[in-house]
Amino acid sequence: METAEKTLDEILTLAAAHFKVAREKLSPDEDFFKALGIDSLQTLDLLTKLENHFRVELPDYELQGVTDFRTLAAKIQARL
Amino acid sequence: MKQFQGQTLSWDLKDGIIELALHREPLNEISSLTLGELEQFVAALDGLGGEAHALILHSTLKSGFCAGADLRELYQWIREYGQVEVATHAREYLERIHSVMNALDSSPLTTIAAVHGVTFGGGFELALTCDLLVADKMARFCFPELRLGLIPGYGGIPRLKRDLGNAVVRDLLLTGRSFNATKAQQIGLVSQVVGEGEALRAARATATQMAKFDRTTAAAAKRFIKPIPHEELRREIDIFCELISRPAVEAGLKKFVESTDAQPYLP
């Protein structure tokens, strides 16, 4: 069982690598749309990456209104 | 015509395999122009079929296979024809696109959709006409139509129900959620999940394998196992045309077309 902090850290690392952003520039409470410079289609890409990595299924309606990495991590953690 | 280069798609016949490539920016939205070129393809298919054993559908765009109907064009129709007249126009359009989809679905060739990224709405419906789906692990599938006050109109519900069953259709349709390639394979929709950028290569390998089989036998097997759900397809057109005249549809389309929301593709 992954801890919430480890899940958050892995999300930040994955997002940084996928969107080619320096990992150290991303912080947990940051708006990921702005931090990563992504639109809705790229958000779906990120969702797919995370689902594949954590081997979970996260319905995209659960992401409605989610904008920061910490809340995203909590959504994933709840399905691990 | 063994080769064609259109504004929205192209095709090429080589070594018994026809490859139909979608290439309309930004995400292969299916417009009147796309439909016209799909009709040209279907008309050419009879002539090509004698030299081919397989057909592969794919997209050359990095963002995905196809985002579905061109919603800007649909919104324009409602504004141009009005909420009542648009139903007549929509019915004519749907009759044409169903004709294309049915021709692809019942083609004697073995057909493969090689999909990646966004495979939504009408794009998902196009993929569902194929005998096999090969998916990049980054592919996502969705029927987002309910958020616009509509149902899928290109034959998606009857085809998905035929292939998978009613419960899966209800889940996708009534939640509007998208799911990934792994889930699609788990429920039996996708036959192969491959690495990023590998779907077309895997589809070509599969199509090459099919060349080993007698064409008459393969076509007979397909006819036997893959009936066209004509009655439900007719009903789908009726329901779509009943729904499209409601003000809620115009409002939903307006919201999408004019959206500056960062998440318009999320339900």
Side-chain angles (χ1 to χ4, degrees):
Chain A
M1 178 88 176
E2 303 221 12
T3 65
E5 281 307 307
K6 187 168 183 293
T7 299
L8 177 58
D9 185 60
E10 287 181 32
I11 289 173
L12 289 166
T13 302
L14 267 169
H18 187 63
F19 295 107
K20 298 181 172 51
V21 175
R23 165 68 179 82
E24 59 274 16
K25 287 189 175 173
L26 300 179
S27 60
D29 298 308
E30 201 170 12
D31 182 324
F32 54 73
F33 287 102
K34 288 180 185 163
L36 301 170
I38 59 176
D39 59 21
S40 67
L41 290 177
Q42 290 167 309
T43 307
L44 288 173
D45 247 15
L46 176 61
L47 173 62
T48 309
K49 272 276 174 198
L50 295 174
E51 285 182 331
N52 288 342
H53 178 80
F54 290 104
R55 298 177 187 279
V56 295
E57 190 184 351
L58 186 59
D60 37 19
Y61 49 75
E62 287 208 10
L63 293 183
Q64 198 71 42
V66 174
T67 57
D68 66 280
F69 291 108
R70 193 181 300 279
T71 311
L72 177 60
K75 298 280 185 187
I76 290 174
Q77 187 69 22
R79 289 178 174 263
L80 288 176
Chain B
M1 192 164 22
K2 289 185 179 179
Q3 283 184 321
F4 173 81
Q5 183 71 34
Q7 293 180 63
T8 68
L9 55 85
S10 60
W11 72 75
D12 184 37
L13 167 62
K14 191 177 172 187
D15 299 330
I17 302 170
I18 304 166
E19 292 189 3
L20 177 67
L22 306 174
H23 55 67
R24 183 194 182 213
E25 296 278 4
L27 230 171
N28 290 320
E29 287 82 358
I30 299 172
S31 65
S32 302
L33 189 59
T34 316
L35 174 56
E37 292 187 345
L38 281 170
E39 287 173 328
Q40 285 185 63
F41 174 68
V42 166
L45 200 50
D46 280 344
L48 292 167
E51 298 177 55
H53 63 272
L55 164 65
I56 297 173
L57 270 60
H58 70 103
S59 158
T60 63
L61 304 183
K62 188 169 180 281
S63 46
F65 178 69
C66 175
D70 185 335
L71 298 180
R72 284 172 177 78
E73 185 177 65
L74 186 56
Y75 179 57
Q76 190 56 41
W77 288 348
I78 292 178
R79 289 176 60 88
E80 189 178 328
Y81 294 103
Q83 284 172 354
V84 177
E85 284 299 310
V86 75
T88 306
H89 187 74
R91 183 175 292 277
E92 289 168 6
Y93 187 83
L94 291 180
E95 297 282 0
R96 286 174 59 197
I97 203 150
H98 272 239
S99 179
V100 167
M101 297 288 192
N102 289 347
L104 292 172
D105 197 338
S106 61
S107 166
L109 303 178
T110 302
T111 56
I112 306 169
V115 303
H116 67 281
V118 169
T119 305
F120 280 16
F124 188 12
E125 293 176 282
L126 179 60
L128 284 169
T129 65
C130 291
D131 304 334
L132 303 174
L133 267 74
V134 175
D136 180 313
K137 68 178 180 181
M138 291 297 286
R140 281 197 93 79
F141 304 87
C142 181
F143 279 143
E145 286 82 356
L146 252 69
R147 78 185 74 165
L148 300 172
L150 289 169
I151 62 165
Y154 298 174
I157 297 173
R159 289 196 169 88
L160 194 61
K161 185 181 159 199
R162 171 190 66 187
D163 295 343
L164 294 183
N166 209 327
V168 177
V169 181
R170 291 198 303 273
D171 180 7
L172 273 175
L173 189 66
L174 299 178
T175 67
R177 72 179 175 124
S178 62
F179 61 63
N180 66 29
T182 305
K183 168 80 174 183
Q185 188 176 39
Q186 284 169 355
I187 61 176
L189 174 67
V190 160
S191 62
Q192 298 176 51
V193 177
V194 297
E196 286 183 56
E198 293 294 319
L200 182 56
R201 184 204 56 76
R204 284 173 177 157
T206 305
T208 300
Q209 159 69 10
M210 290 159 181
K212 295 175 183 171
F213 305 139
D214 172 66
R215 285 313 311 153
T216 302
T217 309
K222 177 171 168 174
R223 275 198 309 277
F224 172 57
I225 203 69
K226 197 178 176 220
I228 309 294
H230 287 291
E231 193 175 322
E232 291 188 330
L233 289 167
R234 300 295 325 159
R235 186 73 188 121
E236 182 190 84
I237 292 176
D238 291 342
I239 295 170
F240 187 98
C241 293
E242 284 166 17
L243 292 171
I244 199 169
S245 294
R246 294 173 318 126
V249 175
E250 183 174 358
L253 286 167
K254 186 172 191 289
K255 188 178 170 191
F256 183 89
V257 168
E258 295 178 355
S259 175
T260 54
D261 190 333
Q263 301 177 310
Y265 276 94
L266 297 178

